[in-house]
Amino acid sequence: MSRPENAYVPPAWTRPLAWFTNPHGVNDDRRLREAVQGKIVMVTGASFGIGEATAKRLASMGAKVLLVARTQEKLDVVAADIRQAGGEAAVYAVDLSKPHDAAALAERVLKEQGHVDILLNNAGRSIRRSIHESYDRFHDFERTMAINYLGPVQLVLGFIPSMRARRQGQIINISTWGVKIPPGANWAAYQASKAAFDVWLRSVATEIKPDGIDVTSIYPAVVYTRMSAPTKALHSMPGMSVEEAAHVIERAIIERPDDISPPWLWGMQVASVTLSKPVRWLMQKTYKPAFTKK
């Protein structure tokens, strides 16, 4: 598989650390095939990166993948690759930042496909910008909330009734480790929008579990994609390739856990509560202001 557009290659020394800093996946053809063969899996954000890699992996194991993203042309390329390899794919070009379109997508898919067994919420937008550069950019907060929170909420609402009626289904969300620790500087728009959907979905999970619907939240650290590429500070951090991230999603489908996090994250969560003042002091000290007030 070719490297995703605008991705980057991290320094070799970061690879030994990646095992500790990122969630662990599995690579098991037999178990994955048993879990997805004949199933219908919707993958949002399927035109690039994690979504593309995951869709191709699941299709190769017998799933029918529904590819969702904004760009028809790119989705058609991904679908063609899947079909050429013997898999089955359907394309749905939709802008999920528009909740009305997300609702219409769910209605259309249920009419055309009958049901969805697994919904992978992967589409998203990342913005790294200081608050001092955001005074006149309220649209940054609107658009991150639209694609990272409001659209996914509407899409999940569209599929829950069908899953409840069938008493089976799984919703997988690609969250971020940042929602589990004290928020860092420069990521206000992104972290707030991701945290909103993360909390919403985990709340919903407690209600739909008795109906046979599993929810798995995945908390990656750094994934080498075109979304993370513009943030040069991430280039030297230990992370995962999109193929490795797809194996984490593979684990979610096979094992169906509530949570998949990096090994260090639990300890950091504990420290952020028990040592809240030192942690906040450290975060403030490591932040380099955009300007110094005179």
Side-chain angles (χ1 to χ4, degrees):
M1 184 179 296
S2 60
R3 182 165 294 278
E5 181 181 327
N6 296 335
Y8 49 92
V9 179
W13 66 265
T14 65
R15 294 303 301 160
L17 298 176
W19 182 91
F20 182 71
T21 58
N22 290 278
H24 299 163
V26 298
N27 184 1
D28 191 321
D29 288 1
R30 180 186 61 81
R31 295 172 67 197
L32 183 59
R33 188 178 295 278
E34 289 177 354
V36 303
Q37 190 166 33
K39 299 290 182 65
I40 299 175
V41 184
M42 174 176 284
V43 179
T44 70
S47 56
F48 293 98
I50 298 173
E52 178 183 1
T54 301
K56 290 180 177 179
R57 172 68 175 157
L58 298 180
S60 71
M61 292 293 110
K64 179 177 183 180
V65 292
L66 311 183
L67 309 174
V68 179
R70 290 180 300 171
T71 308
Q72 177 81 41
E73 294 77 11
K74 176 55 180 171
L75 288 177
D76 287 340
V77 171
V78 177
D81 289 344
I82 289 173
R83 292 164 186 154
Q84 186 174 10
E88 189 174 3
V91 169
Y92 294 89
V94 177
D95 184 353
L96 293 177
S97 68
K98 300 176 181 178
H100 177 78
D101 291 355
L105 171 64
E107 183 178 354
R108 178 186 168 191
V109 166
L110 291 176
K111 183 179 297 184
E112 294 179 356
Q113 307 294 340
H115 67 274
V116 167
D117 294 291
I118 301 171
L119 169 60
L120 171 60
N121 177 57
N122 168 69
R125 174 185 289 272
S126 175
I127 293 179
R128 181 180 184 271
R129 182 169 287 121
S130 166
I131 197 64
H132 305 304
E133 299 173 325
S134 304
Y135 302 148
D136 59 350
R137 296 184 62 89
F138 184 71
H139 61 278
D140 284 348
F141 303 94
E142 291 180 307
R143 60 184 181 172
T144 49
M145 274 294 180
I147 186 61
N148 294 341
Y149 177 52
L150 297 176
V153 165
Q154 182 60 80
L155 194 61
V156 171
L157 291 175
F159 286 119
I160 285 179
S162 171
M163 290 182 174
R164 290 187 70 193
R166 300 178 68 240
R167 298 198 62 79
Q168 59 180 292
Q170 184 181 19
I171 301 167
I172 301 172
N173 179 44
I174 306 300
S175 189
T176 174
W177 63 276
V179 307
K180 285 195 167 189
I181 62 174
N186 295 325
W187 298 94
Y190 177 68
Q191 289 180 131
S193 60
K194 294 294 282 188
F197 185 71
D198 182 79
V199 172
W200 181 85
L201 185 61
R202 287 189 290 115
S203 175
V204 169
T206 63
E207 300 182 46
I208 62 179
K209 179 70 173 182
D211 298 313
I213 306 171
D214 294 316
V215 171
T216 301
S217 297
I218 299 175
Y219 300 92
V222 177
V223 183
Y224 305 130
T225 67
R226 69 176 193 144
M227 189 170 78
S228 60
T231 305
K232 296 188 183 301
L234 300 179
H235 291 195
S236 60
M237 293 182 65
M240 297 186 290
S241 68
V242 294
E243 291 81 13
E244 289 168 328
H247 288 311
V248 177
I249 296 167
E250 178 176 343
R251 175 186 167 193
I253 293 172
I254 292 172
E255 300 178 2
R256 302 175 85 92
D258 297 329
D259 178 305
I260 301 179
S261 299
W264 59 270
L265 191 53
W266 182 84
M268 184 62 179
Q269 287 180 271
V270 173
S272 67
V273 175
T274 60
L275 302 171
S276 59
K277 288 185 178 180
V279 168
R280 182 160 295 279
W281 177 86
L282 180 62
M283 295 181 73
Q284 290 171 345
K285 287 297 182 182
T286 56
Y287 168 61
K288 296 180 179 179
F291 66 92
T292 301
K293 186 176 180 180
K294 296 181 179 180

